[in-house]
Amino acid sequence: MADRKLFAGHAIRRLRRQAGLTQAAMAEVLTISPSYLNLVEKNQRPLSGSLIVKLAESFDFDPRALAAGEPGGGEAALRRRLADPMFADLEIDRNELEEWLAGAPGGAEAFARAFDRIGAGSAAAPGALDSVGEVRREIERWRGYFSDLDTIAEKLADELRLGAGDLYGAISERLRVKHQLTIRVLPVDVMPDLLRRTDLHARQLQVSEILDPASRTFAVAYQLAEIEARSEVDGLVKGAGFTDRAAERLYRRHLASYFAAAVMMPYARFLRACEATGYDIELLQRRFGAGFEQVAHRLTTLQRVGARGLPFFFVRIDRAGQASKRFSGASASPLAEAEGRCPLWQIHAAFDRPGKLVVQLVELEDGARWLTLARTVAPQGRRFGAVAAEFVVGLGVAAEHAGALAIARGVDLKGEATPIGLGCRACGRGHCPQRSLPPAGRALVLNDRERGVSAFTFGGD
């Protein structure tokens, strides 16, 4: 398992000010020195487990707020925003960013909201993309892990498991007996454009015959989430404070899907299976009756305090390189956050090897190394002669944590890695023959008497 240090000085400072205490007074309550508290508030010391317990015991304080409230989504998310070309000449380094977060967390949050509102430097009008972006930021604010939903889903999964070995059958029976909803599988001609539908008048959950077993189980678990996790979902939605109705509905859909996946892959059992199999996704699929994408996404949510899994990131792209799903979770990986992707990253090559895992060790410009894997997935619902939609799901984990993975066997995690960037406009690597555009904020250097391997030579190269 991977544990990371928790820096939350902004949250501690806000709590202290709300309580009307000086640093000395709060330090006395917590039985620590004022100088140590000062370092904690400046994010120069992480929060220890014992200090978190003291905070919870001494103040009206929910420890989950520490993980959910980093200004602007935290340091990695702010770095991503500051990589925009409009800030290229400012050369804001890591120390400045850390000082900003420690000294003016409210200002950092205000900057993040303003930047996101104008569409990452564009004057785009509010619309569907804004709704998707709002929901994604709220999910990342929780680092993709929703403790209350996971706990309830795990308890429910244990109850269902005691009742029957077949999860789909057990959920169907619970819906019928407890909620008076029957399951009806309908021909694709009856529901040509739908995969599932709830008919409250007929008291039926109608699912398309085109769904495979894993998707049918997910569909009935999703219906159960809408009924039995409603109050928890309502609380999370209310806490998000969305002003946009579409964003609220998208968020509800994500939370219900999260609950459904947690019922299919209960936290403790799933984590034990991950550690026992070396996070072997194909084996986990068979063990939990889930699809590849379902398992891949679940891997990004294993962030329970005291029982954390490896910090994976997840991204799903189409052949044009557009990302339809992105979850950085606890990894804070720029490979999930960045708008652009490098053609040297073999996530794109997976399209040429349908159904096969493509494994690659990559290194970013800052020296961070990631072990990544990618595989094609096809959405449910395709009929003969219809458009054959196809995506690639990419997963990755920092190389320093990757030794526990089954796919890492035989890979020298400290050996040669493919140097990649975050898309040409954000990449400062010189002499790259694959480069399509010069990096933002760098002056072109043109020499009529020379032609390098790259079409663009630029300042600092």
Side-chain angles (χ1 to χ4, degrees):
M1 293 181 293
D3 289 316
R4 60 184 183 83
K5 293 180 179 179
L6 177 59
F7 293 89
H10 58 283
I12 304 305
R13 184 185 301 107
R14 187 184 303 118
L15 177 65
R16 177 173 60 79
R17 289 174 176 172
Q18 288 172 347
L21 298 174
T22 63
Q23 283 188 339
M26 187 178 200
E28 184 176 354
V29 172
L30 298 173
T31 63
I32 59 175
S33 69
S35 60
Y36 180 74
L37 179 59
N38 182 51
L39 292 173
V40 168
E41 289 194 5
K42 289 182 176 179
N43 282 335
Q44 294 177 12
R45 292 290 186 277
L47 287 176
S48 64
S50 60
L51 183 54
I52 293 173
V53 171
K54 288 178 183 177
L55 285 164
E57 290 175 345
S58 304
F59 300 91
D60 183 15
F61 178 70
D62 185 348
R64 289 173 296 182
L66 295 173
E70 290 187 88
E75 184 182 323
L78 285 171
R79 279 206 308 271
R80 172 174 54 81
R81 295 179 178 96
L82 290 168
D84 189 277
M86 76 171 86
F87 307 122
D89 62 320
L90 299 180
E91 299 182 351
I92 298 174
D93 62 26
R94 186 167 190 156
N95 289 334
E96 286 181 277
L97 184 54
E98 289 175 352
E99 290 173 5
W100 186 21
L101 276 169
E109 176 65 23
F111 160 75
R113 292 184 187 180
F115 181 87
D116 294 339
R117 178 63 60 87
I118 65 173
S122 70
L129 285 177
D130 292 316
S131 300
V132 172
E134 277 192 67
V135 171
R136 183 167 174 272
R137 287 190 292 275
E138 183 64 16
I139 293 168
E140 294 297 351
R141 193 170 74 89
W142 288 93
R143 289 194 172 86
Y145 171 64
F146 299 92
S147 176
D148 289 350
L149 291 180
D150 241 312
T151 300
I152 297 168
E154 190 168 28
K155 181 179 178 181
L156 175 58
D158 288 340
E159 291 179 23
L160 294 169
R161 188 183 180 197
L162 291 174
D166 170 31
L167 183 60
Y168 174 81
I171 296 176
S172 299
E173 183 67 7
R174 188 180 183 94
L175 286 172
R176 185 185 68 81
V177 173
K178 188 171 183 178
H179 305 294
Q180 293 75 56
L181 272 176
T182 58
I183 312 299
R184 188 176 180 190
V185 180
L186 294 178
V188 67
D189 293 331
V190 177
M191 296 203 319
D193 301 313
L194 293 174
L195 299 179
R196 63 172 177 81
R197 174 175 57 202
T198 305
D199 186 336
L200 293 177
H201 178 72
R203 301 302 299 172
Q204 286 182 349
L205 171 61
Q206 301 166 349
V207 296
S208 172
E209 65 179 350
I210 209 164
L211 293 179
D212 63 20
S215 298
R216 287 191 191 183
T217 302
F218 186 86
V220 296
Y222 184 96
Q223 182 65 60
L224 202 56
E226 291 196 316
I227 300 171
E228 298 199 15
R230 179 177 294 276
S231 62
E232 287 74 19
V233 169
D234 285 345
L236 287 165
V237 171
K238 182 178 180 181
F242 293 120
T243 57
D244 176 56
R245 180 65 172 161
E248 181 180 310
R249 288 188 169 182
L250 283 171
Y251 191 45
R252 284 185 180 277
R253 181 184 297 178
H254 175 83
L255 295 174
S257 296
Y258 183 101
F259 186 89
V263 169
M264 292 177 67
M265 295 166 276
Y267 195 103
R269 275 195 281 141
F270 185 73
L271 179 58
R272 284 197 301 270
C274 288
E275 294 175 337
T277 64
Y279 292 79
D280 185 326
I281 297 181
E282 293 179 349
L283 185 53
L284 292 169
Q285 281 183 255
R286 292 190 287 273
R287 188 169 295 185
F288 290 91
F292 183 88
E293 186 172 337
Q294 291 170 343
V295 172
H297 183 197
R298 183 62 166 147
L299 289 176
T300 70
T301 68
L302 302 179
Q303 292 302 306
R304 179 176 289 176
V305 175
R308 289 191 171 96
L310 295 181
F312 283 91
F313 72 81
F314 171 110
V315 62
R316 190 182 76 173
I317 66 168
D318 60 19
R319 281 188 178 270
Q322 301 170 114
S324 51
K325 289 184 181 180
R326 292 184 291 172
F327 302 105
S328 60
S331 74
S333 175
L335 289 169
E337 298 288 343
E339 295 299 326
R341 268 159 294 283
C342 180
L344 299 178
W345 184 18
Q346 291 186 9
I347 185 173
H348 305 278
F351 282 110
D352 300 324
R353 299 176 59 187
K356 303 293 184 183
L357 283 179
V358 177
V359 181
Q360 185 183 25
L361 182 65
V362 299
E363 182 174 312
L364 298 177
E365 285 186 89
D366 63 1
R369 297 160 70 90
W370 299 84
L371 185 67
T372 69
L373 62 94
R375 206 202 80 170
T376 55
V377 294
Q380 296 289 302
R382 180 181 175 239
R383 301 178 65 185
F384 179 77
V387 173
E390 188 179 36
F391 299 90
V392 162
V393 165
L395 275 177
V397 68
E400 63 199 78
H401 302 312
L405 301 183
I407 60 166
R409 292 167 191 161
V411 177
D412 183 359
L413 297 173
K414 295 184 178 180
E416 186 175 353
T418 303
I420 67 170
L422 301 174
C424 290
R425 293 293 281 166
C427 177
R429 294 188 187 277
H431 310 298
C432 176
Q434 187 66 64
R435 182 174 287 282
S436 297
L437 293 166
R442 303 283 286 274
L444 286 174
V445 177
L446 303 175
N447 187 332
D448 292 338
R449 295 187 298 276
E450 294 179 353
R451 173 64 165 86
V453 295
S454 173
F456 302 101
T457 306
F458 39 90
D461 183 6

